Amino acid sequence: MTVRVCVVGCGAIGSLYAAHLATLDDVEVWAVDVSAPHVAAIEAHGLRVTGRADFTAPVHARTDAADVPPCDLGIVATKAAHTRDAVAACATVFADAAVASVQNGLGNEEVLAELVPRVIRGTILPAGAVTEPGVVRFDAQGDTWLGPFEPAPAATEEVALLASLLTRAGLRTHALADARGPQWDKVVFNSATSPLAALTGLPVGPVCEDPALRAQVDALVAEALQVCAALGIATSADPAALVAEAIEVAHDHRPSMLQDVLARRPTEIDWLNGGIAAQGRLAGVPTPRHDAMVALVRGLERSWSLPQEH
């Protein structure tokens, strides 16, 4: 039986997942993205992966979700700010689908639960960048964790199916009964490194190697872990080990927040550091360092609209 999967948002992550899944003979992959040149290149020539892998896979790509048939499984990989509009446009596609968020930050699953019947909480470590239309560079490997999102859970069998497909496609994936721990592992790490990269212009490795910046990374991690403890969420990874791994395997990687700043696009600061701060308020835990990151990155974003002096 062929499983039909729709990937919404074909930036770096969406493209990596779509391309890998499309290498399987029993999976039909559709992709929806707003970039007409990217979609046209994928439709005409396939989706090319370079870097840590080298292959081209056949993917059906569209700019309009109305042209996509109903799917069994969905993967949402848009920027967090675009979740509602992008998924609402796929109402027919996802009318009877289990849909996974593999997005950054906190709060995306809550939006999905308002729009699709069954939701999968997803956390991923692979990273990359779209280098030209139809081509994605695979920068960093890593595992994926999937689990049912409690308020509107996908069936255990659906979580297991998506996990098995991704694993067979070369992206090792774990199906869990509770995926909150891995989600917070990533949120804690990203919220401690991404804004500092965005503010300094430095990739992950140099941020974590600089003693003064590393002190800020460690302080942001500690503050976020206090929120986790208050919420009763057990993180499963050692933050220091994650930092060491990032220095080794993703030293020169520019996180998505830095890529957004360089392109002068709105960042996901409200879903990363802002998401931790919001959960901290609910739990009664002060988060002054994360509040500061939100204020600084928002201020940087506002500066782009100011007249440039010459």
Side-chain angles (χ1 to χ4, degrees):
M1 183 184 77
T2 297
V3 179
R4 186 178 288 153
V5 181
C6 178
V7 178
V8 181
C10 271
I13 295 305
S15 292
L16 285 174
Y17 279 71
H20 278 82
L21 285 170
T23 63
L24 301 179
D25 292 338
D26 55 347
V27 177
E28 178 184 313
V29 179
W30 292 76
V32 180
D33 195 83
V34 296
S35 172
H38 193 40
V39 165
I42 294 171
E43 184 65 18
H45 308 294
L47 185 48
R48 174 88 187 281
V49 177
T50 63
R52 291 184 175 270
D54 188 2
F55 64 90
T56 301
V59 173
H60 305 284
R62 300 289 187 271
T63 56
D64 189 346
D67 298 327
V68 178
C71 290
D72 305 298
L73 297 169
I75 296 175
V76 179
T78 65
K79 293 291 187 180
H82 306 313
T83 303
R84 184 174 299 278
D85 289 344
V87 177
C90 295
T92 302
V93 178
F94 293 148
D96 190 28
V99 182
S101 166
V102 295
Q103 299 159 279
N104 285 330
L106 303 170
N108 295 294
E109 292 89 355
E110 285 81 355
V111 175
L112 287 183
E114 298 176 21
L115 301 169
V116 303
R118 300 180 301 284
V119 179
I120 298 172
R121 186 193 301 274
T123 301
I124 67 168
L125 291 184
V130 173
T131 56
E132 61 182 276
V135 181
V136 59
R137 186 183 66 237
F138 195 177
D139 287 338
Q141 295 175 318
D143 289 7
T144 297
W145 294 266
L146 301 175
F149 177 63
E150 299 76 18
T156 301
E157 294 78 9
E158 291 172 313
V159 176
L161 173 60
L162 182 55
S164 68
L165 293 176
L166 289 170
T167 297
R168 285 173 47 212
L171 298 171
R172 187 170 62 183
T173 302
H174 311 275
L176 306 176
D178 184 350
R180 292 178 300 167
Q183 181 180 47
W184 273 83
D185 288 337
K186 183 179 179 182
V187 169
V188 169
F189 173 78
N190 280 354
S191 67
T193 55
S194 292
L196 293 171
L199 292 166
T200 63
L202 295 172
V204 169
V207 164
C208 295
E209 290 171 328
D210 181 277
L213 293 174
R214 177 60 183 269
Q216 298 304 313
V217 169
D218 292 343
L220 286 162
V221 166
E223 192 174 90
L225 291 178
Q226 291 177 348
V227 176
C228 289
L231 294 173
I233 296 173
T235 55
S236 55
D238 174 13
L242 290 178
V243 170
E245 182 179 2
I247 292 172
E248 179 182 354
V249 305
H251 186 275
D252 298 324
H253 175 65
R254 293 176 171 178
S256 61
M257 192 178 295
L258 174 54
Q259 294 179 38
D260 288 339
V261 166
L262 293 173
R264 295 200 167 191
R265 296 187 296 255
T267 70
E268 294 181 302
I269 191 70
D270 288 340
W271 288 267
L272 282 170
N273 301 78
I276 288 175
Q279 291 298 310
R281 286 190 291 273
L282 290 175
V285 177
T287 57
R289 291 181 181 273
H290 288 275
D291 292 332
M293 292 297 105
V294 172
L296 288 167
V297 174
R298 282 182 178 170
L300 178 61
E301 292 175 357
R302 288 197 299 274
S303 74
W304 302 333
S305 63
L306 297 177
Q308 300 298 309
E309 295 184 6
H310 300 284

